[in-house]
Amino acid sequence: MDLMKDYKTEVMTNEALQDLIGSWFPNPELDNVSKVEETTETEESSEETVKPSAPINPSLLEFSEEASQFLNISVKPEQLHSLMTQLKNNNDTQFDYLYCLSGVDWGEELGVVYHLESTTHRHRIVIKVNTIDRENPTLDTVSNIWQTANFHEREVYDFFGIKFNNHPHLKRLFLTDEWDGFPLRKDYVDEINMVIK
Amino acid sequence: METTTVNSNFKSEEYFINMGPQHPATHGVLRLILTIDGEIIKKVDPDLGYIHRSIEKMCERDSYQQIVHLTDRMDYLSSHINNEAVCLTVENALELEVPDRVKVIRTIIGELTRIASHCLWWGVSGMDVGALTTYFYGFRDREMINDIFEETCGARLTMNYNIPGGLMYDIHPNFIKRTKEFVAHFKTKIPEYDRLLTGNVIFQKRMKGVGILTKEDAISFGASGPVGRGSGFSCDVRKHHPYSALDKVTFNEALKTEGDSLARYEVRIQEMWESLSIIEQLIDNIPEGEYKVATKAVIKLPKGEYYQKVEAARGELGVYIISTGTKNPYRLKFRSPGFSNLSLLNHIAVGGKIGDLVATMATLDIVVPDIDR
């Protein structure tokens, strides 16, 4: 069946993705160490990829595959937008399908988790960004990269109180404007409506 | 132009009207704030939350067996598939291999659920554009599926048949016979659907070229299910990330490239044929064996993060569980297909008329509890 040939699996291994994406945000301390020579055979084309013209705040991203089926990348809030733009636009990654955007209250920090998939290459990746500021948490919007983020970020703003810079229409989506507090935060208290076991 | 001079006494201005929250075409409690100029839509701003129950927050205090019973209240028309999504996530996290019998039964009932959901959609979408008869035809055939569910699962709508580790009970002795009867019956009915509605001139004019969504926009808006596939976006989770017994069957992904309301309509009609084919391939080959594997009374997922996506009747349903190793999830997020599909409504409705908005919403097939989780 020729229909089956479209349903291919991931072409880039997690290691190759990690090498490629890590090279976009070089840490200045490791810059002198030329470790790019010992690359695997799966990413022969990634050597020629154009590096971002102006890496914002040079420091390494944190990669992890522990306790998750995907490659997890933790990024600092100030690098988020430039990383996401690269992930969408780079020919080797092409993460054009943002299929899940979740707000998470990690206890100390508030964060957003982005699940991305490439409809061309069919590899998947998870991006995490956290902010320590619980009073006025602010992150950059990705709604100008993936339009689905518009509604998902409004949902996160509604339930976690995370504000998104440059969001076109950031107002509460489910709750009324005068609602007090952000219900999905762990420290949210509502003695009347919440059944706590 | 003459018309401008004739109308020069009338000022053209934009104004708001409410569509909903109580409106037959919104199929639930959804309020759309329309900015219109005459009858031309300038902006659609959905106002959500009328029936939000905060299922995600409730899940944080519940055990995994209890969570399953909340999920079929999200998209109640594909309740079985929602339950399956949570069960698969929990089973994957526990590295629990369910018997083949469970996988096959889950797939058959999942496809029956899809047909039942599409039957209802077909009935009400015909009604939305003024064809009342379709409603009765769709419900007549859906009734047979509900009877099968009632016998085996005990419920007709919110079935709760899946549990982590397998199924609540084994299938009813009549299940195979009645499912075969339904397949034979429904094969004669889909052509009837086509004769009644698909080829109808009025229906074609209401649907063709209305609410066009390009493939690039479909991907960018995270459209999934028939909405994405009507725009040529190959997004069938059953093909790309097969689960349960779906890797054992052959079927075609229904794809159209037009991206208009008619394409979304035709994708769903095609999907009903494909679902029938999947059921036919499996119904005679249900393996013998146990219908569940024993799990601990208190399920504790290992510390970590788990994501599972399934193809619900409306598109891609994702379950994202963050576990800290306790009996409750630390965070559970449902990526519901309706939420992403609704977010593109403004994009495809602007510039059209209010009547076209109704037709467009009919083919987006929105179920509001799925959005107001």
Side-chain angles (χ1 to χ4, degrees):
Chain A
M1 291 197 45
D2 62 335
L3 271 163
M4 295 302 290
K5 73 175 192 298
D6 290 327
Y7 306 103
K8 58 186 176 188
T9 48
E10 304 167 34
V11 291
M12 247 176 139
T13 60
N14 281 352
E15 290 75 38
L17 274 173
Q18 179 168 341
D19 285 349
L20 173 64
I21 297 166
S23 71
W24 298 340
F25 293 90
N27 192 327
E29 292 166 25
L30 295 175
D31 225 14
N32 300 328
V33 188
S34 56
K35 67 179 198 61
V36 278
E37 313 315 327
E38 29 126 357
T39 46
T40 54
E41 69 287 351
T42 43
E43 46 143 357
E44 65 277 8
S45 62
S46 64
E47 297 292 300
E48 284 83 25
T49 53
V50 193
K51 290 187 178 182
S53 51
I56 317 299
N57 194 1
S59 84
L60 268 182
L61 309 162
E62 281 176 45
F63 294 90
S64 156
E65 282 182 76
E66 198 182 331
S68 173
Q69 71 250 54
F70 310 116
L71 176 66
N72 282 252
I73 303 179
S74 297
V75 60
K76 294 203 169 64
E78 54 271 24
Q79 294 162 339
L80 175 73
H81 198 272
S82 93
L83 171 68
M84 290 304 210
T85 313
Q86 273 287 315
L87 286 175
K88 166 86 184 286
N89 295 334
N90 190 293
N91 276 338
D92 290 328
T93 49
Q94 285 190 18
F95 287 104
D96 50 357
Y97 183 36
L98 174 68
Y99 60 93
C100 188
L101 193 160
S102 335
V104 184
D105 183 353
W106 296 101
E108 298 275 298
E109 299 182 319
L110 290 167
V112 179
V113 180
Y114 307 84
H115 285 75
L116 295 168
E117 179 167 349
S118 164
T119 59
T120 327
H121 303 305
R122 289 287 163 196
H123 42 222
R124 294 194 273 175
I125 203 169
V126 177
I127 311 290
K128 288 178 179 165
V129 58
N130 291 347
T131 167
I132 193 83
D133 187 358
R134 289 182 76 87
E135 292 300 312
N136 190 22
T138 312
L139 296 171
D140 284 336
T141 184
V142 294
S143 60
N144 47 4
I145 307 172
W146 299 278
Q147 298 186 77
T148 183
N150 186 331
F151 261 46
H152 280 90
E153 284 177 350
R154 282 178 71 186
E155 188 188 10
V156 171
Y157 169 65
D158 205 351
F159 292 145
F160 291 91
I162 300 174
K163 296 190 189 73
F164 292 93
N165 290 331
N166 306 324
H167 189 285
H169 189 53
L170 192 67
K171 74 193 266 281
R172 297 196 100 143
L173 185 61
F174 293 104
L175 299 169
T176 51
D177 290 339
E178 57 269 19
W179 192 279
D180 203 15
F182 303 106
L184 278 177
R185 285 195 186 186
K186 291 286 178 184
D187 53 6
Y188 179 77
V189 190
D190 182 347
E191 280 157 3
I192 299 161
N193 296 314
M194 258 166 65
V195 183
I196 298 164
K197 282 194 272 190
Chain B
M1 298 227 279
E2 280 120 16
T3 46
T4 46
T5 52
V6 169
N7 292 332
S8 60
N9 291 333
F10 299 101
K11 210 163 58 180
S12 164
E13 62 177 308
E14 292 181 2
Y15 56 101
F16 299 99
I17 61 163
N18 277 315
M19 187 165 161
Q22 305 294 337
H23 189 282
T26 58
H27 300 292
V29 228
L30 169 70
R31 175 173 168 233
L32 299 176
I33 306 164
L34 307 181
T35 309
I36 52 176
D37 180 6
E39 215 194 336
I40 305 295
I41 296 172
K42 295 288 179 192
K43 192 179 162 208
V44 183
D45 190 11
D47 182 17
L48 306 172
Y50 283 87
I51 48 168
H52 197 281
R53 298 140 294 171
S54 206
I55 285 178
E56 289 173 12
K57 186 79 174 177
M58 282 150 83
C59 289
E60 290 176 12
R61 57 137 222 246
D62 285 348
S63 71
Y64 290 101
Q65 287 97 334
Q66 289 170 318
I67 289 171
V68 179
H69 300 280
L70 293 172
T71 52
D72 46 38
R73 273 83 179 166
M74 296 194 309
D75 178 358
Y76 48 80
L77 292 176
S78 56
S79 52
H80 178 90
I81 308 175
N82 298 355
N83 295 161
E84 190 178 357
V86 176
C87 292
L88 286 171
T89 322
V90 173
E91 285 154 11
N92 288 346
L94 294 173
E95 293 175 355
L96 195 70
E97 179 73 18
V98 297
D100 285 346
R101 183 176 179 81
V102 175
K103 292 182 183 173
V104 171
I105 293 173
R106 276 180 178 172
T107 305
I108 294 173
I109 297 191
E111 295 309 312
L112 282 173
T113 309
R114 193 181 316 281
I115 296 176
S117 170
H118 284 356
C119 277
L120 190 144
W121 156 81
W122 182 79
V124 294
S125 67
M127 199 172 68
D128 281 345
V129 293
L132 191 63
T133 321
T134 60
Y135 188 80
F136 302 105
Y137 278 52
F139 270 66
R140 175 195 64 196
D141 299 327
R142 185 169 170 269
E143 193 67 17
M144 288 184 74
I145 302 179
N146 281 357
D147 288 343
I148 296 172
F149 288 161
E150 191 177 8
E151 248 180 10
T152 286
C153 316
R156 296 163 67 83
L157 194 65
T158 53
M159 286 163 341
N160 284 315
Y161 188 48
N162 283 310
I163 53 168
L167 305 166
M168 193 85 87
Y169 302 101
D170 206 352
I171 48 172
H172 192 273
N174 285 346
F175 178 78
I176 295 174
K177 180 172 138 275
R178 295 190 72 160
T179 306
K180 281 181 179 168
E181 278 170 13
F182 169 75
V183 171
H185 164 85
F186 199 56
K187 274 188 172 172
T188 64
K189 293 303 166 192
I190 306 180
E192 195 177 283
Y193 287 11
D194 285 337
R195 283 202 303 279
L196 186 66
L197 190 63
T198 314
N200 184 298
V201 180
I202 300 171
F203 181 76
Q204 290 264 342
K205 291 209 163 165
R206 289 294 303 275
M207 291 288 173
K208 209 173 222 169
V210 170
I212 292 174
L213 177 71
T214 63
K215 184 181 174 186
E216 288 69 34
D217 285 335
I219 298 172
S220 177
F221 274 107
S224 56
V227 179
R229 291 195 284 280
S231 300
F233 171 30
S234 166
C235 56
D236 198 329
V237 183
R238 296 174 293 171
K239 279 285 187 197
H240 291 290
H241 309 284
Y243 53 93
S244 290
L246 286 163
D247 50 350
K248 296 189 184 70
V249 293
T250 51
F251 65 100
N252 296 328
E253 181 179 11
L255 270 179
K256 288 265 166 191
T257 50
E258 290 88 348
D260 58 355
S261 291
L262 191 66
R264 294 189 278 273
Y265 172 92
E266 284 170 344
V267 163
R268 285 198 182 86
I269 296 283
Q270 179 65 25
E271 271 194 19
M272 293 202 264
W273 284 112
E274 300 297 339
S275 293
L276 283 180
S277 149
I278 294 173
I279 294 169
E280 275 191 321
Q281 289 170 52
L282 293 174
I283 193 71
D284 283 322
N285 304 311
I286 302 179
E288 294 296 322
E290 294 292 315
Y291 61 87
K292 66 175 173 186
V293 286
T295 53
K296 290 191 179 127
V298 177
I299 293 178
K300 289 182 180 174
L301 295 196
K303 190 171 186 296
E305 300 182 9
Y306 309 97
Y307 194 95
Q308 173 73 42
K309 49 166 110 178
V310 300
E311 182 75 18
R314 257 142 221 89
E316 178 182 323
L317 174 75
V319 181
Y320 175 42
I321 295 180
I322 301 175
S323 171
T324 50
T326 60
K327 64 185 168 65
N328 311 324
Y330 182 78
R331 169 92 169 97
L332 198 156
K333 157 92 181 177
F334 292 110
R335 182 261 191 236
S336 66
F339 187 66
S340 297
N341 288 354
L342 177 71
S343 72
L344 56 86
L345 180 62
N346 178 56
H347 181 73
I348 59 176
V350 165
K353 295 193 166 60
I354 296 177
D356 289 341
L357 174 68
V358 173
T360 308
M361 282 187 65
T363 53
L364 288 185
D365 194 15
I366 285 161
V367 168
V368 180
D370 185 33
I371 301 159
D372 282 0
R373 302 176 299 284

